[in-house]
Amino acid sequence: MPWPALPFADWEPTYATLHRWTQIVGKVRLAVMPWTNHAWHIPLYVTTRGLSTRLMRHDVHAFELAFDFVDHRLHLTTDDGAAGSFALRPMSVATFYDRLMQMLAAHGITMSIWPMPVEIPGAVLPFDEDEINAAYDADAAHRHWQILVASHRVLTRFRARFIGKSSPVHFFWGAFDLALTRFSGRTAPAHPGGAPNCADWVMEEA
């Protein structure tokens, strides 16, 4: 798997939009999943085509949302065989939010999420009002996914050498980073807090 170049300046507008899109999908997962220690119920997971929520349950439906950075679509699949999707292309965060919620509702999945971005300094627009961030460079999004796949391989091998408690390799949409945590068993220092639009207790528990 290649590890392509992705200078931040070259894809910053796409990054800013995609960061918010992943937060919307991640907050759907947050809304329906029971709390798990260290916030392990909320990440996304690297797949052979992009990022996925994996299986979630809402009332009578089990469902999954997945970013496909090969064909550039967001997919919804349910346990009753239904499916939906829409194209990932240049569109505002507000448009993405609306299309996702409409797609979920069309399959009997309704919920409310807190529409404010988290852990993004200076973010003041809620998702449903953000018409500013609207870039999507498909090539850059694809290269970012390839970097995640290559990084996932490295972190998986690193994790395998440790016999103590360790997190999965997972993608935290708050900070837009791929993470792996090893636990020493020692008490961790207090988190300093201060993450934008994120309660200190969340960061401390995570």
Side-chain angles (χ1 to χ4, degrees), residues 9 16 21 37-38 40 43 51 78 87 95-96 99 107 124 126 129 135 140 160 173 185 190 206:
W21 290 359
N37 59 326
H38 316 305
W40 288 357
L51 289 166
T78 71
T95 298
F96 179 93
R99 288 187 179 180
H107 290 80
V124 295
E129 297 178 15
W173 41 265

Side-chain angles (χ1 to χ4, degrees), residues 19-130:
H19 192 171
R20 289 162 174 80
W21 290 359
T22 61
Q23 289 206 2
I24 295 168
V25 170
K27 287 193 174 195
V28 169
R29 182 165 170 80
L30 175 61
V32 300
M33 293 293 289
W35 186 276
T36 304
N37 59 326
H38 316 305
W40 288 357
H41 61 301
I42 67 170
L44 305 180
Y45 300 88
V46 179
T47 72
T48 55
R49 299 184 72 87
L51 289 166
S52 168
T53 61
R54 294 186 180 172
L55 185 69
M56 304 178 287
R57 178 158 292 279
H58 177 266
D59 295 334
V60 298
H61 287 290
F63 70 105
E64 179 178 355
L65 291 168
F67 287 94
D68 181 339
F69 297 125
V70 178
D71 290 335
H72 301 284
R73 300 192 70 82
L74 183 77
H75 295 284
L76 165 67
T77 52
T78 71
D79 62 345
D80 59 2
S85 71
F86 60 84
L88 300 177
R89 58 171 181 75
M91 75 177 98
S92 70
V93 172
T95 298
F96 179 93
Y97 178 90
D98 184 61
R99 288 187 179 180
L100 173 56
M101 292 304 170
Q102 287 192 27
M103 183 170 68
L104 289 170
H107 290 80
I109 302 168
T110 58
M111 72 196 67
S112 61
I113 66 171
W114 188 46
M116 284 302 298
V118 298
E119 300 185 56
I120 301 177
V124 295
L125 288 174
F127 301 131
D128 55 350
E129 297 178 15
D130 185 350

